[in-house]
Amino acid sequence: MKRTVLFIVFLAMMLGMSFTAQAATFIIGDGTSTQSYIPFYGYYDYSWSKVIYTAAEMAAAGMTAGDINGIGYYVGNTPVNYVSVDQRVYMRHTTAVEYASTDNTYPDNTAFGQVFQGDYTWNGEGWHNVIFSSAFNWNGTDGVEILWENWDGVWASGPNFRYTSTTPVYKAVYKYADVTFPVTAGTLTYNRANIAFITPSTDPIFSIAPLSWDFGQVELGLAATKEFTITNNGGGSLDLTSVTIAGDYYSITIPPTDMNLAEYESTSFTVEFAPTIVGTHLGTVTIVHNLGTATVDLTGEGYVRPPGSTCGNPYPITLPLVDFVDDTALYGDDYSSTWITPSSSYLNGDDMVLQFTLTEASTLSGDLTALTGSWIGMFILDSCPDPDTPAPVLRSATTSSTSLTMTPVDLAAGSYFVILSTWPSPQSFQFSLNLSAVPLPTDPEFSITPTSKDFGIVFVGSTASQTFTVTNTGQGALGITSIDLTAGDTGYFSILNNTYTAPLGFNESFTFDVQFAPTMIGDFAVTLTVTDDLAKVAHDVPITGTGYDATVYPPYAVDFAIWPVPDWTQLSFFYGDPPATGTQWFQDDWLNVTDPLNKAAKINIYGTTRHGWLITPPIDFGTRGDFELVFDAGLVAWNQTTPPTGTQDDDRFIVFISDDPMMADAVILREWNNTGSAWVFNEIPATGATFTIPINGVTGIKYLAFYGESTVSNGDNDLMIDNVYIAAAQEPPTPVELSSFTATLTAQNYVQISWTSQSESQMVGYRVYRGTSNDQAVSSLISNSLIPATNTSTTQTYSVVDAEVEIGNTYYYWLESVDYQNSDFHGPVSVIVEGNVPPVLPNVTSMKNAYPNPFRANTVIEVALKAGETGTVTIYNVAGQVVRSYSVTEGYHNLNWNGRDANGQACGSGIYFYKLSTPSVSQTRKMMLVK
């Protein structure tokens, strides 16, 4: 029967076998990846797309000015009789070569010429062409813009189209929606569909699809068929003289219905392969027409299945074949009295004793138990993809096993369940079998693991990653339309290594990674959203992480009142061995001489395996200077109270410094050990002593470690460490000499603070404080950042700008010069802000670390509250008692705490906690006061 074809399948094949005097198709794009949006997205009721193809691209494809009477797109999947209703195509000339970031709107289709409106049917993979009802005349100098509107009104999974990326410029936009046709802005994309422009041809063009066919294995007595389509893809008339077939076991069962094909008409015929002899058989279809002769090669194999087997096993099925049709427990003791006796001959030592088939995709589970003696055999699940391939072992029981519980496994429809015995000679056994098969969902089902992720603490400047797996746990195809970070702190997270390429079939999956890369201190959260084309809903995965910076700065003090000490780590390996993690140190009530009420860190070094490292957080020693490590140490020698003679108790106590937190290439600062006749541990009395170790010429980030070790069986000693303090070795003679310190108003109504130093020595840097009165005690830092000093003997000028000021206020500024031992304040200087400076409020409420920390006299807590929010910042001691409280409102605040309580009484040295409480945030941090 003659029919007009709007979409011609396998145009690439058509071009490979064509008879014409004139080429009529020009292709732009050679990418092989697929997308679902352009030219239209069938899984939504309505959609539109607009695409630019430039004049240069069209000319490069070989086109010249003239009529275009059709376009084609390459379908990468295999839709079957998919009908898209009421598709509308428009074209116009354009000089644009890309879409700007703002040009993602739905265009006015009246500015285009409509070239087609109608229904389309999609079948199979390959090129599909739509022939215009009105040709578009291309002028040869401008590019063309194509607008495709999908007015289908219903949705179903449809074709995926091959595309070529146009990065870094956008040349396509798409939009889809349910219920009504969308006229809102769409999504810009680099993934432009490959296209074939079809120009008129006055001569006929012969094409046939497919060009050849392999019927594969066909069991003797059965038959397989294949339909072939002949099309005239040109003008004039394609006249078929004959369609004949040669080859044993091949025949044309449905001949072509039309032998004279006008422009873009087609006809089809069906070939059948019905072998009666085992072996490979070849055939040929010959088509004679007015342009010449074409041939199609055929191949197929006659196949005999082994007697009684559907899985490639040559032995009969001892028990009847049973279909699983529902979730009932199908088998109980049905076979408990049945004796299974394998035959006397074997194939690779295997013999099938039971086989079942699944009529539906199902989850299979159950158990198998030997009732007589020990069952020695295998429990096998097999989908039988190839009857000649040995069944893969998915579940098994080995020698002397008496029972086997099968872990649930998902199997597709048509899968087989078989049991094989593996005796090297005939053997009988009796067993009980219990099975159940629960049908899987008939539609695709989305699953993602994990369903949430907390990265925990990640140091600022480093990264952590989590791999997510998306699986289709149902049947059919599951497409993924987007994977995005849709809400929250998206700047600190990213999606990497996405392996998704095509819709997922039954039990198929793909993976992608989410990376957390904090660049500042704080708690961060983001929502990962994966959208599929089935439910058309977003699957949200909550992800959190904390950016943390453990770096400390001299002066730094620890008294081990809190255990474990924040940011201190432990390792457990002998000095000289490869690093290994572990804990040996613990907290102890050591009554040492300097602070009898304090806690200490202790390691009990005894036997031959006691060894432990107690390591500081990273310590920033800056750019120059000499430092000192001061600490209390005590040693209680339980087994030896006098110096030994002869073989010594080989105990060691060492203080190390290293660039590496795992103590790689650690350098010894000081070591105590027992060697020869010396009883060196007498230097460390049980009641404790204070030790000072110089750390000279260090710069940058370092780690210090306390290490205790015993390597002989008669050692049993408690080593205690307490009151660790790291500071500059000496007071700098004259840290800084200032010649000026000023505050002036800028043209932008900001305040510029400037100062000039005549000379600097042993300086760390500067901090600038701001207040609204001349009381320095209530001033606050304008920034937590320390302005580094140059430490030169020549004049140096520094300047910072304070943009967080309000109109009509008078501000007072103080300059703090910080050296390695202490700091001095200069000022105040004042300035009146005039003009119009709009306030800037933070987007989120947050609280940063107190700075400095540890501190001697003053520390600053920086707080930011978003618009409309109020709260409090409360300082607690380690007993949970309130020391000081501040009220805060929207905006930025630098709260200065001078180490005194609400009554003005000085607080003692130790750990303090400060907590921010607002309607949106509850956050607690630690700080240390050292006097």
Side-chain angles (χ1 to χ4, degrees):
M1 180 179 70
K2 180 183 295 186
R3 56 191 177 92
T4 300
V5 176
L6 299 178
F7 291 89
I8 299 108
V9 182
F10 301 124
L11 179 59
M13 295 183 180
M14 176 199 77
L15 295 176
M17 178 179 287
S18 62
F19 295 83
T20 179
Q22 171 182 348
T25 302
F26 305 92
I27 297 175
I28 298 176
D30 57 4
T32 57
S33 298
T34 60
Q35 47 80 33
S36 305
Y37 310 111
I38 299 171
F40 80 101
Y41 191 19
Y43 205 79
Y44 281 76
D45 296 350
Y46 303 94
S47 66
W48 61 263
S49 69
K50 61 179 182 179
V51 187
I52 292 174
Y53 297 92
T54 66
E57 292 173 320
M58 298 171 72
M63 296 182 63
T64 57
D67 283 348
I68 299 174
N69 63 348
I71 53 175
Y73 297 94
Y74 196 102
V75 174
N77 60 341
T78 56
V80 177
N81 292 329
Y82 179 88
V83 179
S84 52
V85 176
D86 193 7
Q87 305 299 296
R88 307 174 189 181
V89 184
Y90 304 82
M91 292 182 68
R92 69 177 175 185
H93 288 99
T94 181
T95 58
V97 297
E98 63 177 292
Y99 290 114
S101 59
T102 57
D103 192 10
N104 60 343
T105 56
Y106 170 67
D108 178 9
N109 59 21
T110 61
F112 293 72
Q114 186 170 12
V115 293
F116 194 84
Q117 180 173 349
D119 302 342
Y120 301 93
T121 301
W122 308 79
N123 270 301
E125 178 183 1
W127 284 100
H128 295 62
N129 295 350
V130 55
I131 305 305
F132 296 159
S133 54
S134 299
F136 177 81
N137 185 262
W138 180 46
N139 61 19
T141 58
D142 295 331
V144 298
E145 184 178 22
I146 300 173
L147 170 64
W148 185 301
E149 297 181 357
N150 167 30
W151 289 81
D152 187 283
V154 296
W155 56 270
S157 183
N160 298 330
F161 303 95
R162 287 187 177 179
Y163 70 86
T164 301
S165 175
T166 61
T167 305
V169 297
Y170 293 112
K171 293 192 177 183
V173 182
Y174 65 87
K175 180 67 177 180
Y176 52 82
D178 282 329
V179 183
T180 59
F181 184 84
V183 294
T184 53
T187 301
L188 291 156
T189 180
Y190 302 122
N191 301 339
R192 185 181 64 175
N194 300 342
I195 195 169
F197 287 103
I198 303 169
T199 60
S201 173
T202 57
D203 297 328
I205 300 175
F206 173 88
S207 122
I208 187 169
L211 295 175
S212 62
W213 190 253
D214 182 1
F215 287 93
Q217 288 186 335
V218 178
E219 192 170 350
L220 300 188
L222 301 179
T225 60
K226 179 61 181 177
E227 184 182 66
F228 295 82
T229 301
I230 300 172
T231 304
N232 177 9
N233 282 319
S237 177
L238 176 65
D239 301 325
L240 305 180
T241 303
S242 62
V243 180
T244 58
I245 194 166
D248 295 335
Y249 317 113
Y250 293 95
S251 61
I252 297 177
T253 57
I254 302 177
T257 56
D258 197 334
M259 304 295 282
N260 302 107
L261 303 177
E263 181 179 14
Y264 300 112
E265 287 185 338
S266 66
T267 187
S268 62
F269 62 93
T270 301
V271 173
E272 180 182 87
F273 174 52
T276 59
I277 297 177
V278 173
T280 300
H281 308 288
L282 304 178
T284 303
V285 176
T286 302
I287 304 101
V288 180
H289 49 85
N290 59 331
L291 302 179
T293 300
T295 59
V296 176
D297 294 329
L298 308 171
T299 184
E301 179 183 352
Y303 173 74
V304 176
R305 191 176 297 277
S309 173
T310 55
C311 273
N313 191 291
Y315 302 107
I317 301 172
T318 308
L319 297 176
L321 184 72
V322 180
D323 290 341
F324 291 147
V325 294
D326 55 33
D327 61 350
T328 306
L330 300 177
Y331 307 102
D333 294 332
D334 298 2
Y335 304 125
S336 61
S337 60
T338 302
W339 285 87
I340 304 301
T341 304
S343 61
S344 58
S345 59
Y346 288 83
L347 175 67
N348 296 326
D350 296 339
D351 184 42
M352 177 181 292
V353 295
L354 275 180
Q355 175 177 298
F356 307 101
T357 186
L358 290 171
T359 57
E360 299 180 50
S362 306
T363 299
L364 189 66
S365 61
D367 59 77
L368 182 69
T369 304
L371 300 178
T372 55
S374 296
W375 176 61
I376 304 176
M378 304 183 77
F379 197 29
I380 298 178
L381 296 174
D382 176 32
S383 60
C384 294
D386 183 348
D388 292 330
T389 301
V393 177
L394 302 183
R395 301 289 186 271
S396 67
T398 56
T399 303
S400 299
S401 297
T402 58
S403 65
L404 173 68
T405 299
M406 183 177 67
T407 303
V409 61
D410 294 339
L411 295 176
S415 297
Y416 297 91
F417 170 85
V418 299
I419 301 174
L420 306 181
S421 68
T422 57
W423 278 100
S425 59
Q427 174 73 28
S428 297
F429 58 90
Q430 189 180 24
F431 64 92
S432 174
L433 176 65
N434 292 274
L435 291 176
S436 67
V438 179
L440 290 168
T442 57
D443 295 323
E445 286 205 350
F446 176 95
S447 171
I448 187 169
T449 55
T451 56
S452 64
K453 175 62 180 177
D454 181 8
F455 283 102
I457 291 177
V458 177
F459 287 110
V460 171
S462 61
T463 63
S465 295
Q466 171 66 47
T467 297
F468 290 83
T469 301
V470 175
T471 305
N472 177 11
T473 58
Q475 303 177 70
L478 176 68
I480 303 301
T481 60
S482 64
I483 305 173
D484 296 302
L485 300 172
T486 56
D489 305 309
T490 56
Y492 302 96
F493 300 84
S494 57
I495 297 173
L496 305 173
N497 305 321
N498 182 6
T499 64
Y500 178 74
T501 57
L504 304 176
F506 168 63
N507 260 358
E508 292 182 343
S509 62
F510 73 95
T511 61
F512 61 91
D513 296 335
V514 174
Q515 183 183 84
F516 176 43
T519 57
M520 61 184 296
I521 298 171
D523 297 321
F524 304 102
V526 75
T527 299
L528 168 69
T529 301
V530 182
T531 305
D532 62 50
D533 64 356
L534 173 68
K536 289 189 271 188
V537 297
H539 304 277
D540 290 338
V541 177
I543 300 176
T544 57
T546 299
Y548 185 68
D549 185 357
T551 304
V552 296
Y553 302 84
Y556 172 65
V558 171
D559 63 359
F560 303 107
I562 297 177
W563 191 271
V565 185
D567 307 321
W568 285 58
T569 58
Q570 291 197 50
L571 301 178
S572 181
F573 65 95
F574 279 114
Y575 173 46
D577 290 344
T581 58
T583 58
Q584 299 280 11
W585 291 79
F586 53 94
Q587 190 185 51
D588 184 70
D589 294 321
W590 175 43
L591 301 179
N592 62 66
V593 294
T594 57
D595 192 354
L597 299 180
N598 206 352
K599 303 284 187 178
K602 180 172 98 172
I603 183 171
N604 181 226
I605 46 177
Y606 68 91
T608 59
T609 59
R610 279 293 196 179
H611 43 269
W613 303 70
L614 184 61
I615 306 170
T616 68
I619 304 171
D620 189 346
F621 286 99
T623 58
R624 57 186 297 177
D626 295 335
F627 295 84
E628 290 178 341
L629 167 64
V630 182
F631 61 93
D632 295 339
L635 179 70
V636 180
W638 296 103
N639 290 343
Q640 296 175 349
T641 58
T642 60
T645 59
T647 303
Q648 304 303 305
D649 182 4
D650 192 7
D651 295 336
R652 306 172 78 182
F653 169 42
I654 310 175
V655 179
F656 289 95
I657 188 170
S658 178
D659 296 324
D660 180 56
M662 297 296 289
M663 290 292 111
D665 301 321
V667 175
I668 296 175
L669 292 177
R670 183 166 179 182
E671 176 177 1
W672 292 264
N673 58 43
N674 298 331
T675 58
S677 61
W679 181 236
V680 181
F681 270 144
N682 282 341
E683 295 184 34
I684 309 178
T687 55
T690 299
F691 297 88
T692 300
I693 300 176
I695 309 174
N696 296 326
V698 295
T699 59
I701 302 295
K702 303 291 181 184
Y703 298 83
L704 301 180
F706 299 96
Y707 172 77
E709 170 191 301
S710 177
T711 58
V712 296
S713 60
N714 63 337
D716 190 0
N717 305 313
D718 287 343
L719 174 66
M720 274 76 65
I721 302 295
D722 199 8
N723 299 319
V724 176
Y725 183 68
I726 303 165
Q730 60 182 357
E731 185 83 15
T734 306
V736 62
E737 294 180 5
L738 292 183
S739 61
S740 69
F741 174 44
T742 61
T744 58
L745 194 64
T746 70
Q748 295 80 22
N749 290 319
Y750 299 153
V751 177
Q752 179 172 299
I753 303 97
S754 304
W755 64 97
T756 301
S757 66
Q758 296 300 113
S759 65
E760 296 171 353
S761 175
Q762 299 292 305
M763 282 290 296
V764 177
Y766 300 90
R767 300 189 188 98
V768 178
Y769 293 76
R770 177 189 61 220
T772 55
S773 71
N774 62 357
D775 184 1
Q776 189 267 328
V778 295
S779 65
S780 58
L781 278 170
I782 67 172
S783 172
N784 277 346
S785 299
L786 186 71
I787 302 165
T790 57
N791 284 308
T792 64
S793 59
T794 59
T795 299
Q796 299 292 324
T797 298
Y798 301 83
S799 179
V800 296
V801 173
D802 182 11
E804 297 178 1
V805 292
E806 297 178 356
I807 304 165
N809 286 349
T810 300
Y811 293 94
Y812 297 82
Y813 292 90
W814 288 263
L815 177 68
E816 182 187 18
S817 57
V818 183
D819 58 68
Y820 288 128
Q821 287 288 345
N822 51 32
S823 63
D824 294 317
F825 282 86
H826 310 269
V829 293
S830 63
V831 65
I832 300 175
V833 177
E834 298 174 338
N836 183 19
V837 179
V840 178
L841 296 178
N843 294 324
V844 296
T845 296
S846 63
M847 178 175 67
K848 296 184 178 180
N849 285 337
Y851 190 87
N853 186 13
F855 68 99
R856 290 177 176 174
N858 292 277
T859 189
V860 174
I861 305 169
E862 185 174 340
V863 178
L865 268 66
K866 64 184 181 182
E869 196 163 63
T870 61
T872 59
V873 175
T874 307
I875 301 173
Y876 302 87
N877 60 23
V878 291
Q881 299 168 324
V882 175
V883 176
R884 187 78 177 267
S885 182
Y886 300 87
S887 297
V888 288
T889 59
E890 64 179 24
Y892 297 90
H893 306 272
N894 290 324
L895 307 178
N896 181 76
W897 185 44
N898 59 4
R900 297 180 179 272
D901 62 17
N903 297 320
Q905 297 298 316
C907 298
S909 299
I911 299 294
Y912 290 85
F913 301 90
Y914 53 105
K915 180 180 181 181
L916 170 64
S917 300
T918 74
S920 66
V921 169
S922 178
Q923 189 174 37
T924 303
R925 299 183 184 274
K926 298 182 290 293
M927 58 185 168
M928 177 178 288
L929 174 60
V930 179
K931 293 189 175 180

